[in-house]
Amino acid sequence: MLTKTAKDAWHKGQVVSALFLDIKGAFPSVDIDRLIHNMRKRGIPKEYTEWMKWCLGNIHTMLSFDNYQTAAFIVTNGLDQGDPYSGICYLLYNADLLKIPVPKIGKQILLFVDDALVTVIGKDFAETHKKLRSIMN
């Protein structure tokens, strides 16, 4: 998609700028209530979202280092990065990012789990910089 976008723009004498984003700590920082909200907003039945909330709301862990170990405590946010559902859940969690750009004026965002690519097209780099800034703001 990136290659096609760039080649199509170059063919028209335009400039393409891209911003690659890798969201650090993406899975552990997911707000479960926001995830459930986004799932419901996209029409996922309540039975599934309630089950997901129950699964994600019953996670306990403890910290161990040297000869010390904490008592078990509840993890209130986050997805388990190894869980098969986590990738799908994270895409639903981040789906609103796709509403930010306006493809008709040369702005788009591509998502792959916790990686995002923002591309903008303009007549010169000053214009693409301005478009990238507007998306990030």
Side-chain angles (χ1 to χ4, degrees):
M1 183 81 168
L2 173 60
T3 302
K4 178 164 177 26
T5 299
K7 285 184 177 182
D8 288 350
W10 294 340
H11 182 72
K12 295 175 186 173
Q14 296 174 311
V15 171
V16 177
S17 291
L19 178 63
F20 294 85
L21 303 169
D22 180 19
I23 302 163
K24 297 290 180 202
F27 289 93
S29 64
V30 168
D31 181 295
I32 301 305
D33 290 333
R34 173 55 57 181
L35 170 63
I36 300 303
H37 169 79
N38 288 356
M39 292 171 80
R40 294 291 302 134
K41 188 164 80 170
R42 283 166 182 76
I44 295 175
K46 190 171 184 170
E47 296 82 13
Y48 295 114
T49 59
E50 290 298 318
W51 177 80
M52 187 64 79
K53 190 171 186 172
W54 178 82
C55 287
L56 295 172
N58 291 309
I59 299 173
H60 295 76
T61 193
M62 62 180 65
L63 301 175
S64 297
F65 50 93
D66 293 334
N67 293 325
Y68 178 77
Q69 186 172 29
T70 66
F73 59 92
I74 296 173
V75 178
T76 57
N77 279 331
L79 296 170
D80 180 9
Q81 197 160 350
D83 188 315
Y85 293 115
S86 292
I88 296 166
C89 287
Y90 196 77
L91 287 173
L92 290 166
Y93 183 71
N94 253 358
D96 285 339
L97 282 176
L98 297 173
K99 293 182 178 182
I100 294 171
V102 182
K104 289 181 185 176
I105 60 170
K107 298 178 182 179
Q108 67 182 7
I109 293 180
L110 305 173
L111 295 176
F112 181 74
V113 192
D114 63 343
D115 295 311
L117 167 64
V118 181
T119 60
V120 293
I121 300 169
K123 66 180 188 302
D124 55 30
F125 283 113
E127 183 180 334
T128 59
H129 181 264
K130 184 177 176 181
K131 287 180 179 182
L132 280 175
R133 181 181 295 269
S134 74
I135 289 172
M136 294 309 294
N137 286 334

